């Protein structure tokens, strides 16, 4: 769609085509009558829109389906395999590359570890090589999504603060990646990626009005989607829950603030607590906080009292984070994801208790809090979701198949 | 506009008419060419849209204006006096009623005080009577807006927590007001009202991407507008900055949370501090915290050291609130309003210092922080703004003048 205030007829057509694609993306098979009902348009209008989408190779008919009152109608589906998406996750210690289609189906994924001291240019070169390899192998890629740690400044192209890896602050991701592959490429920060993954591919009851994805991993962040749109702020740095203070007299964070939530419940914070209280569980060869989390969760499941205490403490802080998310965004669903959430069943009871105790009852009753159950890493999946989100908004531009 | 996913041609027409009205609302006088340029549509399309708006009595021609390159063109303006709006502010201790037009011009306003112990029904009856009186006097009223303290639950129609006045929790504002006056009536909480007032009528450089209105009065709250839309959350209770904790081990708030910002920098909090540290400034007859604020600010301006300390402390807490707003919403502008902001010049230096110290430099550099300079109470003005915002989205339905 054109980036203007006014809308002309072709904008209208594209909006409606996009709405049809989104419905099919969510429902797999659908009749024209179903779509007409859901969109509030006449069946004649839908028939016209669908004809254009079929002509472009975006939609196909798939035989007869039974509708209401035993009426038979023709089923429609998206030609998802014709529209693949590459998702790329760049994180501390590792990057991942995956190939998906616009329905969220995964074709392949790789993970590559690197040392935090490694030269940036060689890490970036390795990422690019893997993306080129995927493009060689998968010929129907229509767009690429890249997820990076936040707060990511969307117009400047760089990360404002990346704890533990300050040198990456100067990398301009737009310059490095935007025009590299001759495919539209979209960049989003990791928590927003997770939110998009949950919005597009998560197994939730719908419709959802306001979704909060609460990333609790090496960093802590959140992504908010209201009415289908990411809350971005002017620079794309909104919803930085990890840098909202829970104690104005707390320890200083690298971002400048004091008592940031990230200092209390990130994987790093868990590693510190583990070193202090259950050093016997950590072998010398645990340099990474993600693994430390799993070790603590395992020890807690085995009944280790000190490990249980660490888990309870971290769960309380995650609970405070949920209370802040509720007061800040009033979501109907909070999905907790990333490495710390691996301790889901151990964490949830305490989180729920804190939320119940500290939130206005009407808001508490309305919000559902759950651990992410996506089969794919939400950040990698979300990198694919940001590209999916963009291309289905402009189906004629991005999804039309050359004949 | 119809509340559906699909859009038909009449939706498109209405969107474009609304966009033209919004441009004229902001710019006073404008040519068709200016509008075409700003909307990204052809001049022929604009001529057609304007013709319809003129036919409906919404827009008039106002003679010749000079454009670029000395070309002369016909100026257009909104017939603002044909479209009046009643704004109603309901607050602790007082309510206000005002008549405005859709350009924000004020025609009249009244303020009525009541005791916090007064029976609700008599307060509501008094509000209704004043609204009826205004409707008798002003014949061009097209809609009514009502602002109430937050967190207000938009579908349930009641206030989830109203500190100091718990009995008002059970009043259903939708049932009481919605169908009373035979005019469309819109209800919004006070901080969202303030945000709309600043968005529509504030004297700021535009365009604004994300505006945060920070209400610091008897309660503390915020309203966020991103891309022209209020951030609401699923129940309308988003952006409750007053109940976001700044100290998870702090005092308990009526909302259930501990260490809520509202406990530290509301007018109530200032009154408490004043009673403790400058009791000599408070006469027995200061029951209201709003007046206590002004007394403290006056004493501080007069050089009273203890009053200056209170002001500095409150400013620091407001600063922490701004840091949270920046991390939560990444606004390009924060406007501080309501009673505590009366101490604007005394507060701002400390607020700015705290923000500078505690925010990521790139975000800090981007945000402008100012004290509201609206000539009318932002909450009352905002009550008018919510109704204005709704009617200009549907000009054919609400603004067409009967002939």
């Amino acid at each position: 769609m054109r980036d203007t205030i006014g809308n002309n007829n072709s904008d209208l057509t594209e909006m409606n085509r996009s709405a049809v694609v989104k419905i099919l993306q969510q429902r797999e098979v659908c009749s024209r009558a179903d779509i007409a009902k859901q969109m509030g348009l006449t069946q004649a209008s839908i028939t016209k829109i669908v004809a254009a989408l079929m002509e472009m190779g975006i939609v196909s008919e798939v035989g007869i389906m039974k509708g209401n009152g035993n009426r038979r109608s023709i089923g429609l589906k998206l030609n998802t395999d014709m529209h693949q998406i590459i998702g790329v996750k760049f994180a501390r210690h590792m990057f991942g590359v995956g190939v998906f289609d616009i329905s969220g189906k995964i074709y392949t994924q790789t993970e590559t570890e690197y040392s935090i001291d490694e030269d940036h240019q060689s890490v970036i070169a390795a990422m690019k090589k893997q993306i080129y390899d995927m493009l060689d192998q998968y010929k129907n890629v229509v767009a690429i999504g890249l997820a990076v740690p936040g707060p990511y400044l969307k117009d400047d192209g760089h990360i404002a603060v990346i704890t533990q890896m300050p040198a990456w602050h100067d990398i301009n991701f737009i310059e490095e990646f935007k025009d590299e592959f001759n495919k539209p490429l979209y960049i989003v920060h990791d928590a927003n990626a997770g939110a998009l993954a949950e919005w597009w591919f998560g197994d939730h009851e719908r419709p959802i009005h306001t979704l909060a994805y609460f990333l609790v991993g090496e960093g802590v962040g959140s992504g908010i989607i209201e009415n289908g749109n990411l809350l971005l702020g002017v620079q794309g740095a909104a919803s930085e829950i990890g840098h909202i203070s829970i104690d104005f007299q707390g320890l200083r964070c690298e971002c400048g603030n004091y008592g940031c939530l990230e200092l209390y419940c990130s994987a790093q914070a868990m590693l510190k607590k583990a070193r202090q209280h259950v050093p016997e569980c950590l072998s010398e060869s645990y340099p990474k906080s993600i693994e430390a989390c799993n070790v603590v969760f395992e020890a807690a499941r085995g009944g280790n009292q000190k490990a249980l205490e660490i888990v309870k403490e971290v769960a309380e802080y995650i609970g405070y984070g949920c209370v802040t998310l509720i007061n800040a965004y009033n979501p109907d669903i909070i999905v907790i994801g990333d490495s710390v959430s691996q301790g889901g069943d151990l964490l949830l009871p305490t989180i729920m208790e804190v939320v119940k105790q500290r939130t206005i009852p009407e808001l508490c009753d309305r919000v559902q809090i759950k651990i992410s159950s996506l089969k794919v890493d939400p950040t990698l999946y979300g990198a694919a979701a940001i590209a999916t989100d963009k291309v289905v908004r402009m189906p004629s531009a991005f999804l039309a198949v050359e004949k």
Side-chain angles (χ1 to χ4, degrees), chain A:
Chain A
M1 223 165 303
R2 304 166 316 138
D3 192 17
T4 54
I5 307 171
N7 288 298
N8 61 25
N9 279 312
S10 63
D11 294 328
L12 176 74
T13 307
E14 192 70 359
M15 277 190 249
N16 285 332
R17 285 176 186 168
S18 170
V20 170
V21 170
K22 283 183 189 174
I23 288 170
L24 287 169
Q25 200 274 356
Q26 293 292 330
R27 302 225 351 223
E28 235 163 298
V29 177
C30 224
S31 70
R32 288 172 178 82
D34 291 341
I35 296 172
K37 198 175 156 196
Q38 209 174 326
M39 287 183 55
L41 295 182
T42 61
Q43 203 164 331
S45 310
I46 297 301
T47 299
K48 209 170 137 191
I49 297 167
V50 167
L53 290 169
M54 285 175 64
E55 173 65 24
M56 289 188 272
I58 300 172
V59 167
S60 296
E61 294 184 338
V62 284
I64 303 299
M65 56 186 280
K66 273 190 181 166
N68 287 340
N70 262 341
R71 278 191 307 176
R72 290 144 58 92
S73 51
I74 300 165
L76 299 170
K77 74 161 192 62
L78 275 189
N79 297 332
T80 49
D81 52 336
M82 301 302 291
H83 308 107
Q84 291 168 329
I85 302 281
I86 290 181
V88 183
K89 169 186 178 171
F90 167 69
R92 297 167 182 87
H93 302 291
M94 66 77 73
F95 63 86
V97 181
V99 178
F100 303 83
D101 67 28
I102 56 168
S103 74
K105 186 177 149 193
I106 186 161
Y107 290 76
T108 185
Q109 68 172 316
T110 62
E111 275 196 15
T112 308
E113 302 202 351
Y114 66 89
S115 155
I116 238 168
D117 311 312
E118 200 168 329
D119 173 61
H120 331 119
Q121 285 309 331
S122 71
V123 176
I124 288 172
M127 283 167 72
K128 287 184 181 170
K129 180 167 184 319
Q130 286 199 18
I131 298 168
Y132 276 118
D133 288 349
M134 297 286 186
L135 285 169
D136 267 352
Q137 242 176 299
Y138 295 88
K139 296 298 182 194
N140 294 332
V141 171
V142 293
I144 300 172
L146 167 61
V148 302
Y152 170 75
L153 305 174
K154 68 182 166 59
D155 299 325
D156 298 346
H158 73 95
I159 301 167
V161 177
I162 174 164
T163 47
Q164 306 167 54
M165 291 168 53
W168 280 83
H169 174 271
D170 296 328
I171 300 298
N172 188 317
F173 286 90
I174 295 176
E175 282 175 16
E176 287 289 350
F177 287 95
K178 195 82 183 173
D179 298 322
E180 178 76 28
F181 304 102
N182 201 22
K183 301 270 175 199
L185 183 143
Y186 305 96
I187 309 176
V188 73
H189 78 61
D190 47 10
N192 279 348
L196 286 164
E198 292 291 345
W199 183 268
W200 280 99
F201 308 131
D203 179 23
H204 317 297
E205 223 173 275
R206 291 164 204 275
I208 297 168
H209 185 276
T210 308
L211 178 143
Y213 176 71
F214 189 8
L215 181 153
V216 190
E218 295 211 57
V220 170
S222 60
I224 309 297
I225 300 182
E226 176 149 309
N227 274 330
N229 294 310
L230 271 175
L231 180 76
L232 286 172
V234 66
Q235 292 158 292
S239 72
E240 273 299 335
I241 182 91
H243 296 293
I244 292 182
S245 169
I246 58 167
D247 179 3
F248 66 91
Q249 293 167 309
L251 288 175
R252 186 124 204 232
C253 173
E254 286 177 47
C255 79
N257 206 0
Y258 291 76
C260 289
L261 181 65
E262 181 165 310
L263 300 173
Y264 297 83
C265 64
S266 66
Q268 273 293 318
M270 256 186 108
L271 175 60
K272 263 190 209 162
K273 286 182 222 284
R275 282 203 179 115
Q276 214 176 334
H277 300 293
V278 289
E280 70 280 7
C281 298
L282 299 172
S283 75
E284 277 299 308
S285 59
Y286 280 118
K288 276 175 290 174
S289 43
I290 297 180
E291 288 157 17
C293 291
N294 291 335
V295 167
V296 173
F297 292 135
E298 215 169 285
R301 285 201 178 92
N304 181 320
Q305 274 308 314
K306 281 185 181 162
L308 279 165
E309 277 164 33
I310 294 176
V311 170
K312 190 164 173 17
E313 200 187 332
V314 166
E316 273 174 23
Y317 289 120
I318 296 176
Y320 303 152
C322 288
V323 173
T324 298
L325 286 172
I326 293 167
N327 283 312
Y329 310 108
N330 184 210
D332 30 357
I333 182 166
I334 297 176
V335 187
I336 303 171
D338 219 281
S339 46
V340 172
S341 69
Q342 302 288 328
D345 51 322
L346 292 170
L347 298 165
L348 262 187
T350 305
I351 293 172
M352 300 307 284
E353 203 186 304
V354 168
V355 169
K356 201 163 175 192
Q357 197 184 44
R358 293 185 177 231
T359 346
I360 296 165
E362 278 101 336
L363 307 191
C364 178
D365 290 347
R366 186 67 178 77
V367 67
Q368 187 193 353
I369 300 179
K370 57 196 265 190
I371 303 287
S372 174
S373 60
L374 293 175
K375 298 281 177 290
V376 183
D377 175 338
T379 304
L380 181 66
Y381 217 11
I386 180 72
T388 302
D389 187 78
K390 295 287 185 182
V391 298
V392 303
R393 282 174 198 255
M394 295 182 280
S396 316
F398 289 126
L399 301 182
V401 179
E402 284 168 40
K403 288 178 187 177

